[in-house]
Amino acid sequence: MKKSITRALPLAVLALAVTAGAVVAQESAGMPQATRLAEQNLRPYWHVFAAYALVILVVGGWAVSIARRLKAIEERLVD
Amino acid sequence: MTDGVSPGADTLGVKDVARGSADNGREIVLEANGLRREYGPVVAVDGVDLTMVEGEFLTVFGPNGAGKSSLLGMLGGGMRPTAGTVRVRGQALSFSEHDWQHRIGMLSHRGFLYGRLTVEENLRFYGTLFGLQDLEERLPARLARVGLAERARFEVRQLSHGMRQRLSLARALLHDPDVVLLDEPYTGLDPSAAGVLRSVLGELRDGRRTVVMVTHNLREGLAMATRLAVQVSGRFAWEGPNDGLGREDFERHYHDVVEGRV
Amino acid sequence: MNTYLRQVWVIVWKDLVLEMRSRERIASMGAFAVLAGVLFNFSIDTTSTRPQDVAAGLIWMTLIFGGLLGVGRTFHLEAQDGALQGVLMSPTPKDALFLAKTAANFVLLYVVSLLVLGVFGLFFGLDLGPNLGWVVLVLGVGALGFVALVTLFAAVSTGTNMGETLLPVLVFPLLVPMVIYGVGTTTRLINGRPFDEVEGNVRMLGAFALAAVAAGAVLFRYVVED
Amino acid sequence: MSTAGMRRGGTALTLLGLLGLITLYWMAFFWVPTEVNQGVVQRIFYIHVPAAWTSFLAIGFAALASGMYLWLRDERLDRAALCAIEGGLVFATLVLTTGPLWGKIAWGTYWTWEPRLTLTLLLWFIFIGYFMVRNATEDPEKGKRFAAVVAIVGAIDIPFIHLSVVWFRSLHPEPVVARPDGPTLPGDMLLTLLFGVLVFTVLFFGLFLFRYAVEGLRAEADLRARSAA
């Protein structure tokens, strides 16, 4: 189970990176959605990506810490 | 049982004694079943069973950390057992009810007294908490009994340790409890206070109260007891009647029990 | 008088007699209040801030810190000779004990809060006029909620090995409603606004106090059991 | 439910939650239209609000479990409360970090004493207090009782804190979903938001079960260590 979590985590991060890259590519390619946004300061993107990355990092960090604790206890139980 | 204790003594269950006594028409007052108390990973009391009838005086000896105070705390209802029950005259000590406390009195090496209240005020305070109606008659009598009548208006912090301990004794017995619990009552007492304590304890035993005392003090512990127990690592490692074993003999036996040679 | 009330009363009486004889807590709280008033006076530039705009906040902050100092020690007095254990082994219901401790602490804190009001009024030259009675009422309602929460958590922190250092961490987040309603209401009253304008907030303060007393009365038994 | 069952359930829910999270990210980045007034930064909303919802769910759940623990003294209830509080702390941390990221653009400042942000900050401190009390006693059983009291009083106090901080100052966007006259958010955005709430709730309960299973195993290991000693 802990393996499934630790395996899923890089996948999720990868997904996020791909997503972020795709959005930037899409926006800079001038897709319809971007026409309005082009008028705005581009700075907000950084904030949005940071926020979405934080979700992955914090929730993922919690999952990893649970998995670590699980591992430690399983080792204790085996002894 | 002159030279040590007969091998059968540790198999003589408390329940057998109690049943025998109950047959003699003495009512069971204090009953504990499977008492256990844990502090996280530490087990302070590990499965103690106890049945006591009127007029019995049990002294529990044991080294520091044997769980004697925890045992007493649970018998007094102030401490919740991790497992097991305590009954006083058939009534289970429950945390949500407040009618069984009348039956229990506790005397500890700490006085439970307020230093800034006078002798009389301390007793009045506890008397009111116990809902006693006849405090006006009761207080002077009790103070006289422990020899503090002329100190009634002194603040407790002005009293010597021995006087405080005597006052504390009066406080513990103010509501005439059926069961009296004593936690190292002789610690730091001067001879006169110890004398008062001894005579009051003698009265309690003869007045068919039930007394449980925990102590390291072998001499005082043996003097009053009708029953003895040695608690080691949370369990009663040995228990039996106090049938006039000399102090030196008991001391030898006690060390044998504590060090696991018996 | 039934037994319950008599038990509550005797504990309140005991706490107040002890306080009157030792003056330990009232002296430290009172001295703290007056000295805080002096320090606050120097910490405010009265050429740029009107005293009546900040006085309410300072009064309440003084009450909170001073109250924590005094009310937070309420179980140390009991613990000195194990007396709390004696009370707990008596037939006193635990909620009676909580209500009594809260009532005694309330008397203590209310006396101090009136002192604070007087001292700050003097130092900052406040003229309360007809609102004086309402301010006194608001201070009382706020003090009740404060005392109930702090009494409960003083029992908690006394039972831990961190002692009093834990108390502010536990109670400050919970005291926010009292601070906001108390300061908001008092500021308006000091500025001569009619009571009608703040009545809703005083009600909220009252609801907060009642909730704190009720929660404490129910939960206290789980804190003091051994 | 057995510990193994917990772990299976936890894994299933967590994986479901992760799947949902990926879908949510897709919806938030590609599917949902950009909000007219705030622009792209409004997209933080789809994770910020669900995280806030989850942390309040956690304290409510923990208070309920704590109350039942004080009543029934079943260790499992205490463990449930502990695990919920830990999850609540994680999600409250998310709220407190994503909120300022939004605030910097929307309001021009990282921190404002905006009511719901303030409330979450105080909630975060209540969570911290829970852990501090729990670890500050020599007798663990006492720490559990004290922590339960903190969780319960915290949960009771939250409505008061909420009302007071709203009264104190309101800079926050008006409630957009829970309004008496129905939601004002355009349908697509509302759908994304509600989906976000669902995903975070599933994720919370998945990880909660997972965490709870760990705590159960720890109790078992402690028990074994004790009986071996």
Side-chain angles (χ1 to χ4, degrees):
Chain A
M1 115 160 298
K2 61 178 186 292
K3 279 181 200 139
S4 64
I5 293 288
T6 38
R7 215 180 290 152
L9 195 69
L11 278 179
V13 174
L14 195 67
L16 177 73
V18 171
T19 314
V23 170
V24 172
Q26 186 196 31
E27 298 289 2
S28 54
M31 293 294 278
Q33 208 180 10
T35 48
R36 163 175 289 282
L37 295 169
E39 298 158 14
Q40 293 186 351
N41 189 341
L42 270 178
R43 209 176 45 162
Y45 286 104
W46 184 84
H47 290 254
V48 176
F49 294 146
Y52 277 76
L54 269 171
V55 173
I56 297 287
L57 285 177
V58 173
V59 175
W62 190 35
V64 168
S65 105
I66 296 173
R68 280 220 183 122
R69 281 178 274 186
L70 178 67
K71 201 172 164 191
I73 287 165
E74 274 179 341
E75 274 163 15
R76 255 179 76 194
L77 278 171
V78 168
D79 293 341
Chain B
M1 287 177 35
T2 43
D3 54 349
V5 174
S6 67
D10 55 346
T11 56
L12 178 64
V14 195
K15 284 197 173 123
D16 300 331
V17 177
R19 204 172 300 129
S21 307
D23 288 345
N24 297 341
R26 294 207 286 179
E27 204 187 322
I28 293 172
V29 180
L30 180 65
E31 244 185 314
N33 286 310
L35 272 192
R36 182 180 174 85
R37 171 72 192 196
E38 298 167 3
Y39 296 92
V42 182
V43 183
V45 177
D46 186 6
V48 170
D49 295 300
L50 188 64
T51 306
M52 305 225 1
V53 299
E54 293 171 330
E56 271 194 305
F57 191 128
L58 169 70
T59 301
V60 181
F61 298 102
N64 282 330
K68 304 190 297 293
S69 293
S70 297
L71 173 66
L72 215 56
M74 288 189 286
L75 292 179
M79 186 181 281
R80 185 193 284 261
T82 308
T85 53
V86 179
R87 287 170 190 280
V88 173
R89 291 208 185 271
Q91 185 182 14
L93 306 192
S94 130
F95 270 78
S96 49
E97 285 163 44
H98 302 94
D99 49 358
W100 49 265
Q101 283 92 343
H102 298 277
R103 302 187 191 277
I104 297 169
M106 169 85 134
L107 177 65
S108 139
H109 51 282
R110 302 173 85 191
F112 302 173
L113 300 170
Y114 294 96
R116 284 278 187 166
L117 292 186
T118 66
V119 168
E120 200 184 47
E121 284 167 342
N122 264 296
L123 290 188
R124 200 178 289 279
F125 172 67
Y126 280 103
T128 313
L129 290 186
F130 278 95
L132 302 177
Q133 305 293 334
D134 56 343
L135 279 176
E136 297 317 314
E137 299 94 70
R138 207 182 277 238
L139 289 191
R142 298 307 167 91
L143 285 177
R145 178 66 191 86
V146 295
L148 287 171
E150 63 281 20
R151 306 264 173 176
R153 298 194 181 280
F154 279 54
E155 284 187 14
V156 165
R157 65 198 176 114
Q158 296 167 305
L159 302 182
S160 70
H161 184 79
M163 282 193 249
R164 280 189 214 193
Q165 198 69 3
R166 267 142 60 190
L167 174 58
S168 193
L169 182 65
R171 175 200 56 73
L173 303 178
L174 187 64
H175 53 289
D176 293 321
D178 291 347
V179 176
V180 180
L181 305 171
L182 305 157
D183 188 357
E184 301 283 0
Y186 289 97
T187 307
L189 283 199
D190 57 44
S192 83
V196 172
L197 181 57
R198 217 172 292 129
S199 84
V200 170
L201 292 185
E203 279 172 29
L204 284 176
R205 183 186 54 182
D206 303 337
R208 312 204 116 195
R209 308 283 176 193
T210 303
V211 185
V212 180
M213 172 158 83
V214 305
T215 184
H216 308 282
N217 187 325
L218 291 180
R219 192 166 62 89
E220 298 292 357
L222 286 172
M224 291 292 158
T226 61
R227 273 168 64 185
L228 303 172
V230 177
Q231 190 173 2
V232 184
S233 311
R235 288 187 194 142
F236 279 3
W238 176 86
E239 52 186 318
N242 183 14
D243 39 15
L245 196 63
R247 182 158 73 95
E248 285 79 11
D249 291 331
F250 183 78
E251 194 164 350
R252 208 174 309 123
H253 173 64
Y254 169 77
H255 287 297
D256 286 346
V257 172
V258 170
E259 282 148 39
R261 288 196 292 268
V262 175
Chain C
M1 212 162 43
N2 67 20
T3 314
Y4 189 91
L5 288 178
R6 209 172 306 163
Q7 286 164 332
V8 171
W9 164 243
V10 79
I11 297 170
V12 174
W13 166 84
K14 180 264 301 171
D15 267 14
L16 293 180
V17 166
L18 286 179
E19 190 51 48
M20 255 148 60
R21 290 193 186 151
S22 71
R23 295 193 196 89
E24 200 181 298
R25 293 192 289 158
I26 195 122
S28 60
M29 285 160 81
F32 175 85
V34 176
L35 291 170
V38 173
L39 288 186
F40 281 145
N41 179 54
F42 294 126
S43 70
I44 292 162
D45 181 1
T46 44
T47 57
S48 63
T49 319
R50 294 193 316 152
Q52 57 265 48
D53 291 337
V54 290
L58 299 181
I59 288 173
W60 281 90
M61 289 331 281
T62 309
L63 273 187
I64 286 175
F65 288 109
L68 223 51
L69 204 68
V71 179
R73 287 188 57 79
T74 179
F75 290 100
H76 289 260
L77 304 172
E78 303 278 346
Q80 266 163 17
D81 195 23
L84 183 63
Q85 200 188 338
V87 177
L88 291 175
M89 289 189 72
S90 77
T92 315
K94 308 297 179 271
D95 41 331
L97 175 58
F98 174 78
L99 293 176
K101 295 295 286 182
T102 303
N105 287 331
F106 173 74
V107 172
L108 191 63
L109 188 71
Y110 200 37
V111 169
V112 173
S113 59
L114 296 182
L115 175 75
V116 169
L117 182 64
V119 168
F120 280 57
L122 195 70
F123 285 1
F124 292 103
L126 301 178
D127 180 20
L128 290 168
N131 275 341
L132 179 64
W134 292 124
V135 173
V136 168
L137 172 81
V138 170
L139 283 178
V141 177
L144 180 62
F146 174 87
V147 156
L149 265 182
V150 175
T151 304
L152 179 66
F153 283 102
V156 169
S157 62
T158 308
T160 67
N161 43 27
M162 288 175 74
E164 278 148 290
T165 49
L166 193 56
L167 188 54
V169 181
L170 295 178
V171 293
F172 279 175
L174 304 173
L175 285 176
V176 165
M178 189 203 85
V179 175
I180 290 178
Y181 289 124
V183 173
T185 312
T186 316
T187 303
R188 286 171 194 214
L189 289 173
I190 285 177
N191 278 303
R193 311 293 284 272
F195 182 71
D196 300 351
E197 200 175 292
V198 295
E199 200 187 329
N201 297 326
V202 178
R203 287 225 178 100
M204 284 306 299
L205 204 56
F208 176 76
L210 283 182
V213 171
V218 173
L219 293 173
F220 187 68
R221 73 196 62 179
Y222 303 112
V223 176
V224 291
E225 85 177 32
D226 208 355
Chain D
M1 219 190 314
S2 66
T3 304
M6 290 286 169
R7 291 175 60 175
R8 270 198 298 278
T11 315
L13 276 180
T14 307
L15 289 178
L16 194 66
L18 283 176
L19 208 65
L21 199 64
I22 293 168
T23 316
L24 177 70
Y25 275 38
W26 177 79
M27 283 172 85
F29 281 119
F30 300 111
W31 183 72
V32 76
T34 302
E35 210 265 337
V36 180
N37 295 321
Q38 290 186 46
V40 71
V41 74
Q42 182 266 346
R43 285 166 201 261
I44 293 180
F45 185 69
Y46 304 118
I47 49 172
H48 177 75
V49 174
W53 148 258
T54 313
S55 59
F56 288 101
L57 179 74
I59 182 85
F61 187 78
L64 208 64
S66 294
M68 285 175 55
Y69 169 70
L70 289 179
W71 181 31
L72 301 169
R73 296 307 163 99
D74 189 325
E75 293 293 318
R76 287 173 297 182
L77 289 165
D78 168 68
R79 273 182 245 150
L82 169 69
C83 300
I85 293 276
E86 194 176 299
L89 184 64
V90 167
F91 284 99
T93 306
L94 270 184
V95 178
L96 291 178
T97 46
T98 55
L101 282 172
W102 178 11
K104 182 65 184 166
I105 304 302
W107 302 319
T109 169
Y110 280 110
W111 186 262
T112 57
W113 291 101
E114 183 284 316
R116 266 146 288 176
L117 212 50
T118 311
L119 178 60
T120 313
L121 179 68
L122 295 170
L123 180 64
W124 193 84
F125 276 113
I126 293 170
F127 288 144
I128 293 290
Y130 181 94
F131 286 110
M132 285 179 82
V133 162
R134 206 184 162 89
N135 296 323
T137 57
E138 258 136 50
D139 176 6
E141 194 265 340
K142 203 179 203 179
K144 290 172 188 175
R145 273 187 279 121
F146 287 0
V149 168
V150 171
I152 294 168
V153 177
I156 294 173
D157 208 17
I158 277 174
F160 287 100
I161 301 180
H162 178 70
L163 289 172
S164 67
V165 291
V166 166
W167 181 77
F168 183 65
R169 186 186 293 166
S170 192
L171 270 180
H172 205 273
E174 285 292 297
V176 283
V177 180
R179 281 166 66 106
D181 50 348
T184 57
L185 211 58
D188 290 351
M189 297 187 192
L190 180 66
L191 188 67
T192 311
L193 179 65
L194 291 180
F195 184 68
V197 168
L198 179 72
V199 166
F200 272 59
T201 308
V202 169
L203 209 53
F204 170 77
F205 277 111
L207 286 166
F208 166 80
L209 282 179
F210 193 20
R211 176 75 183 82
Y212 182 82
V214 174
E215 211 52 38
L217 281 176
R218 187 198 305 265
E220 201 178 307
D222 285 346
L223 198 68
R224 270 196 219 175
R226 196 179 308 162
S227 56

